[in-house]
């Protein structure tokens, strides 16, 4: 394994911080301000992509930014696993940047400068999480992400928004300080290091009881995974403007959560240790419970964004379950689902925002016949929904297929049952929307002429929908990266 | 036992004085009485230092050709400083009490605290 | 000249105390110049002292060239050189800030005396830190205290007088206890020099006299540092004193008290005295935990920002004593570094409050709505310091918590981690209410502009710069934490050897 010392991951993280300054300075001139966002997004994505060939070559890029205290370094490392998250976040930021401009201007939102600034910081946070080389660095960026998304969630500043954002912060900051930080303290104390190491750092350093406690603390402490009972922040955060929900709660924040958990499972505990203690299976069952309950909750929601939020809770637990199975196919599923789910879910949120802006509708029951008014939007919605349900040719099928394979490899029949049931539930809460949109008559008093959202909003959502299909047809990149990850954490596969 | 009690009578007196002073500082409502308590309290400690420096059969620590044994002069010096400190503290305390009397019209602690409470409630009402 | 820095560092400030009223008789501004200049000089000298200590080791300075134990000895080691730099730096920062702030808060004829008292206060603190003689500690303690009573009493409201009087009574009890403790130790050993005491005491550890002395010291100093439940004087004192006083007291006075406690527990007495003879550590751990939680919980209930910060200070003092009580090098490092960290955070927060008072006169957190737009730089400083108090990584608060937590684990007391983290959460609760008001709440009423008078803008640069500098240092020392930590580690190793 070759290690390249290079500062490019640092630049990738810093680009958007630089953009924050520029955005702040040019707050008076909206066009200039938004172009900074887009320029930064493009640069960030190209830096990430430029690192891709080296990673696919089996190399690893490392960079120590500084040593904070003895034993605590702020250090970055780019490996195949981080590429999954980094590619997803940086690519989708470009798309969201365009969408945001459309949404924020059409909705005439206030405080747009603050909005774009925090958005850019959030992206730095997300990439920092992706590239972190040790638990401390990860925790730093995890907290940055939490704090800088707070202004985004509270954006509207209505009492309702403040309440929702408070809950958001309470859950995320609360769990991370109360549980994750104690887990980090314990890990450092027993393992003597916080470095992410393939195969884990905790094995043999403490008694089984202690390791179990640390594991439980980590699972509870990574609140961004929205695993039950720490899921209530996700629906609460839906008070945010839709682009925020889209990027942060379908992509950056929740994916940061599952990514952190994957990283902790594979690089702090290690597959062997968890298998030995049976903790993976336990986590998988918790995840299965979350999936089923979240799906049922989603069924009961009439607010479109809330339904999507509960769907996210369920989908995240698919990823958690997949990695908790600790089998090659399971881990593969978890890794590729990070990107696949992101594309599907961002499409769905984009459509929800487009419907709100164009037709001022937020409820599922109001969507009868909307497919005639907003054909592009609803086409994209359909693709996203199919991906969530896991119907080919949407990419969601691949990840669920591997999830099932993984469950078979682990001989977990109950989990297979849970997956099947939840898939049916997914279908039950997504497909009626599609049906109603295209086949139910338009309500009286509304025309059937086309009435789409601004092009700046429709183009991104069509793009991500197509992306979802493309990932199904050409998933090679995902599998190449997944193989590299498996090779390092499971010693060849 | 009796010897233990009688033999150290100077310390017992110090302790008794200290407790008297302490009681005055804590329990009296009148601020002047508190200051008096404080003075007694401090004086008790001064006496403690002085009596501790007494050497059996010793004379005052001054240059005198008949003297064979001197009392220990160091605590005397120390306590001179402490007395100065005590006087300054009393001065500051009395100055404060004068100011308090001018602003509140009373020097009873419970009355002052009540006035404070009333004012605080008024402020709270103003803030809704 | 440099050879006399150990004493000049204090004399400069002490001499400034009588000079200020002389030059400031006609115009207080000259007094301010002297005060600021003296603290700056003193800060530079203390930096040089710290540098010397770190490169060449312990400095021993004989006052008037009298050999100890006959003369008074001033000793500088990594611990007190570190604390001295902290005290003089904050004294300088606050002095810079004071000019505008006091002009608004005090009657004009009180300005010159205030600066004079301020000099005495700082000189007393620095003396307590520098001296190697126990009785000298008492003298300087009383100098600071007396100056402190005056600094509090000049507050705008009449409550300040009563707050000052309460502090005077409790402070005198505390100082007299310390005096008694010194007396007992002298009785048992016949010396007042700390190094001498350290040599003679181990043979007398079983002596009742020594035990009594220890008890008087700990209780007396605990009152001075407002260790819960001996904290009664502190909230009102911080609330009603002028902002400058609250800041310097919160940032330095309690810290120096904590330093004195460390000195008595680890230099005069040796660590194994606390462990094997008096078993004070368990008690202190318990009391500190209660202080940490109680301070935070009561702070949550406050609506006046200064009271909230005051109770928060009581909790933070608990962190320092917790690290002392854990008796291992990691926790002690955390404790020493927290002396610096808390001074920076709380200093910055109180300066922000002073700036708000200067501009608007409000202290009730419900009235803070919309201040984020009007005073962006000040509020940014507040936010940074608040995040640091919560313990967000890359700020100094995280560094202290890290060392205390790992130190607790090292001592086998995992159950202290929930205490530390719970208080972090509570801190988040009470600061987030303020941050929400500053930035994210819309004014409820239409005529909201009446609450925060229109035309409020940033505080003047003389106030803004120290405020923001302290907040910035919270981040700088949070990122480059190895700088203070390495000094604190040296101090911890020295104390626990």
């Amino acid at each position: 394994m070759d290690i390249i010392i290079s500062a490019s991951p640092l630049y990738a993280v810093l680009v958007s911080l630089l953009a924050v300054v520029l955005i702040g300075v040019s707050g008076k001139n909206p066009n200039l301000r938004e172009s900074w966002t887009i320029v930064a997004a493009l640069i960030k994505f190209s830096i990430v992509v430029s690192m891709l060939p080296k990673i696919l070559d089996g190399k690893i890029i490392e960079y120590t930014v500084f040593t904070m205290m003895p034993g605590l370094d702020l250090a970055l490392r780019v490996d195949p696993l981080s590429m999954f998250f980094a590619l997803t976040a940086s690519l989708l930021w470009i798309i969201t940047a365009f969408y945001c401009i459309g949404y924020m201007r059409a909705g005439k939102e206030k405080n747009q400068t603050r909005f774009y600034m925090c958005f850019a910081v959030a992206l730095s946070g997300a990439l920092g999480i992706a590239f972190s080389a040790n638990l401390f660095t990860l925790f730093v960026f995890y907290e940055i992400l939490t704090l800088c998304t707070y202004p985004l969630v509270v954006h509207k500043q209505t009492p309702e928004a403040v309440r929702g954002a408070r809950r958001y912060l309470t859950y995320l900051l609360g769990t991370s300080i109360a549980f994750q930080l104690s887990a980090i303290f314990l890990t450092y104390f027993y393992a003597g290091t916080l470095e992410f190491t393939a195969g884990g750092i905790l094995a043999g350093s403490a008694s089984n009881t202690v390791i179990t406690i640390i594991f439980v603390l980590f699972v509870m402490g990574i609140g961004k995974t929205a695993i039950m009972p720490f899921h209530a922040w996700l629906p609460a955060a839906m008070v945010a403007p839709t682009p925020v929900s889209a990027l942060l709660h379908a992509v950056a924040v929740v994916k940061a959560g599952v990514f952190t958990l994957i990283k902790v499972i594979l690089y702090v505990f290690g597959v062997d240790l968890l298998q030995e203690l049976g903790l993976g299976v336990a986590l998988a069952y918790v995840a299965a419970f979350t999936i089923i309950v979240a799906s049922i909750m989603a069924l009961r929601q009439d607010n479109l964004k809330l339904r999507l939020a509960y769907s996210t809770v369920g989908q995240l637990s698919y990823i958690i379950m997949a990695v908790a199975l600790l089998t090659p196919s399971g881990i593969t599923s978890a890794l590729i689902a990070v990107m696949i789910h992101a594309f599907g879910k961002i499409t769905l949120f984009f459509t929800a925002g487009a419907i709100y802006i164009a037709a001022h509708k937020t409820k599922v029951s109001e969507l009868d016949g909307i497919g005639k008014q907003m054909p592009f939007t609803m086409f994209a919605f359909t693709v996203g929904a199919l991906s969530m349900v896991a119907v080919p040719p949407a990419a969601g099928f691949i990840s669920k297929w591997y999830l099932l394979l993984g469950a078979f490899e682990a001989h977990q029949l109950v989990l297979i049952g849970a997956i099947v049931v939840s898939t049916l539930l997914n279908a039950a809460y997504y497909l009626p929307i599609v049906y109603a949109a295209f086949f139910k008559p338009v309500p009286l008093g509304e025309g059937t002429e086309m009435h789409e959202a601004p092009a700046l909003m429709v183009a991104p959502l069509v793009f991500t929908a197509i992306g979802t299909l493309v990932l199904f047809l050409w998933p090679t990149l995902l599998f190449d990266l997944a193989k590299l990850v498996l090779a390092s954490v499971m010693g060849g596969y | 036992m009796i010897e233990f009690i009688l033999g150290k009578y100077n310390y017992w007196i110090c302790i008794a004085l200290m407790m008297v002073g302490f009681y005055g500082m804590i329990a009296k409502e009148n601020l002047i009485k508190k200051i008096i308590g404080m003075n007694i309290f401090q004086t008790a400690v001064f006496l403690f230092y002085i009596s501790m420096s007494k050497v059996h059969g010793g004379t005052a620590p001054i240059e005198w050709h008949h003297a064979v044994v001197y009392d220990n002069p160091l605590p005397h010096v120390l306590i001179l400083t402490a007395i100065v400190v005590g006087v300054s503290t009393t001065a500051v305390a009395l100055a404060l009490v004068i100011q308090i009397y001018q602003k509140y019209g009373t020097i009873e602690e419970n009355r002052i605290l009540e006035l404070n409470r009333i004012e605080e409630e008024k402020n709270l009402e103003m803030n809704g | 000249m440099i050879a006399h820095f150990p004493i000049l560092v204090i004399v400069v400030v002490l001499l400034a105390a009588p000079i200020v009223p002389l030059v400031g008789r006609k115009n207080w501004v000259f007094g301010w110049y002297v005060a600021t200049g003296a603290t700056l000089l003193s800060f530079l000298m203390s930096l040089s002292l710290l540098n010397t200590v770190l490169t060449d080791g312990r400095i021993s300075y004989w006052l008037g060239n009298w050999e100890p134990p006959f003369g008074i000895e001033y000793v500088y080691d990594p611990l007190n050189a570190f604390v001295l730099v902290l005290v003089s730096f904050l004294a300088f920062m606050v002095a810079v800030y004071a000019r505008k702030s006091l002009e608004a808060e005090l009657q004009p004829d009180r300005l010159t005396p205030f600066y004079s008292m301020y000099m005495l206060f700082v000189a007393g603190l620095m003396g307590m830190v520098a001296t190697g003689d126990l009785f000298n500690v008492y003298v300087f303690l009383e100098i600071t205290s007396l100056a402190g009573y005056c600094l509090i009493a000049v507050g705008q409201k009449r409550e300040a007088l009563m707050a000052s009087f309460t502090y005077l009574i409790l402070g005198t009890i505390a100082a007299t206890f310390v005096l008694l403790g010194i007396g007992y130790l002298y009785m048992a050993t016949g010396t007042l020099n700390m190094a001498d005491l350290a040599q003679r005491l181990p043979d007398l550890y079983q002596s009742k006299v020594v035990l009594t002395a220890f008890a008087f010291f700990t209780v007396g100093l605990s009152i001075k540092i407002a260790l819960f439940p001996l904290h009664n004087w502190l909230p009102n004192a911080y609330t009603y004193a002028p902002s400058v006083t609250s800041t310097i007291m919160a940032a330095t006075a309690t810290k120096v008290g904590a330093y004195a406690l460390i000195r008595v527990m680890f230099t005069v007495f040796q660590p194994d005295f606390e462990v094997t003879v008096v078993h004070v550590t368990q008690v202190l751990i318990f009391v500190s935990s209660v202080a940490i939680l109680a301070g935070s919980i009561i702070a949550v209930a406050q609506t006046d920002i200064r009271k909230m910060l005051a109770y928060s200070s009581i909790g933070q003092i608990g962190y320092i004593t917790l690290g002392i009580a854990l008796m291992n090098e990691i926790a002690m490092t955390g404790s020493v570094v927290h002396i610096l960290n808390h001074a920076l955070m709380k200093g910055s927060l109180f300066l922000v409050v002073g700036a708000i008072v200067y501009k608007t006169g409000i202290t009730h957190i419900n009235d803070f709505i919309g201040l984020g737009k009007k005073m962006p730089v000040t509020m940014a400083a507040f936010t940074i310091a608040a995040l640091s108090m919560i313990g967000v990584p890359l700020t100094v608060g995280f560094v202290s918590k890290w060392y205390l937590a790992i130190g607790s684990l090292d001592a086998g007391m995992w159950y202290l981690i929930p205490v530390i983290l719970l208080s972090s959460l509570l801190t988040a609760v009470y600061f987030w209410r303020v941050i929400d008001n500053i930035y994210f709440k819309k004014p409820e009423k239409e005529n909201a502009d009446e609450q925060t008078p229109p035309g409020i803008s940033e505080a003047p640069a003389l106030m803004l710069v120290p405020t923001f500098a302290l907040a910035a240092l919270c981040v700088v020392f949070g990122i480059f934490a190895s700088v203070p930590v390495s000094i604190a580690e040296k101090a911890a190793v020295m104390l626990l050897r």
Side-chain angles (χ1 to χ4, degrees), chain A residues 260-466:
Chain A
T260 307
L261 191 62
I262 293 174
K263 199 115 192 182
V264 164
I265 287 179
L266 298 180
Y267 289 85
V268 173
F269 289 91
V271 174
D272 294 337
L273 180 66
L274 289 183
Q275 228 148 24
E276 190 188 311
L277 297 176
L279 292 172
V281 181
L283 179 59
Y285 274 90
V286 176
F289 173 79
T290 307
I291 295 170
I292 302 281
V293 176
S295 304
I296 293 171
M297 305 262 262
L299 261 181
R300 296 173 49 220
Q301 305 299 327
D302 191 32
N303 183 310
L304 182 57
K305 276 176 82 180
L306 275 183
R307 189 175 283 200
L308 294 179
Y310 278 106
S311 156
T312 306
V313 174
Q315 298 282 338
L316 290 172
S317 279
Y318 278 129
I319 303 180
I320 300 171
M321 184 204 273
V323 67
L325 289 168
L326 302 171
T327 60
S329 303
I331 294 173
T332 310
S333 162
L335 297 175
I336 59 178
V338 168
M339 189 178 272
I340 289 173
H341 173 250
F343 268 85
K345 199 35 84 46
I346 204 169
T347 312
L348 290 172
F349 271 111
F350 281 172
T351 56
I355 293 171
Y356 171 69
I357 289 290
H360 300 291
K361 287 175 178 171
T362 56
K363 291 193 174 144
V364 172
S365 50
E366 297 169 341
L367 297 183
D368 291 355
I370 202 163
K372 299 191 182 73
Q373 296 158 340
M374 310 178 69
F376 292 108
T377 306
M378 291 320 289
F379 153 76
F381 186 90
T382 312
V383 174
L386 290 180
S387 184
M388 292 299 130
V389 185
V391 180
F397 173 74
I398 307 179
S399 57
K400 204 168 265 181
W401 174 256
Y402 273 89
L403 175 60
L404 278 170
L405 277 184
F408 273 111
E409 279 167 8
H411 308 293
Q412 294 293 342
L413 290 179
V414 181
L415 294 183
I416 294 171
I419 296 167
V420 172
V421 171
S422 71
T423 306
L424 291 175
L425 287 168
N426 290 347
Y429 63 78
Y430 273 123
L431 297 185
I433 303 177
V434 178
Y435 174 82
F438 285 109
F439 300 112
K440 280 201 182 164
V442 179
L444 290 173
E446 285 184 29
T448 53
E449 67 276 13
M450 208 170 101
H451 179 67
E452 276 285 5
L456 264 180
M457 296 173 70
V458 178
L461 62 89
V462 171
F463 183 87
T464 52
I466 293 173

Side-chain angles (χ1 to χ4, degrees), chain A residues 66 68-69 150 154 166 169, chain C residues 403 405 432 436 440 478-479 482:
Chain A
F66 58 80
M68 187 175 137
M69 299 185 266
Y150 180 81
V154 78
R166 276 275 181 86
L169 192 77
Chain C
Y403 275 93
W432 212 266
D436 254 355
F440 302 119
I479 292 176
S482 38

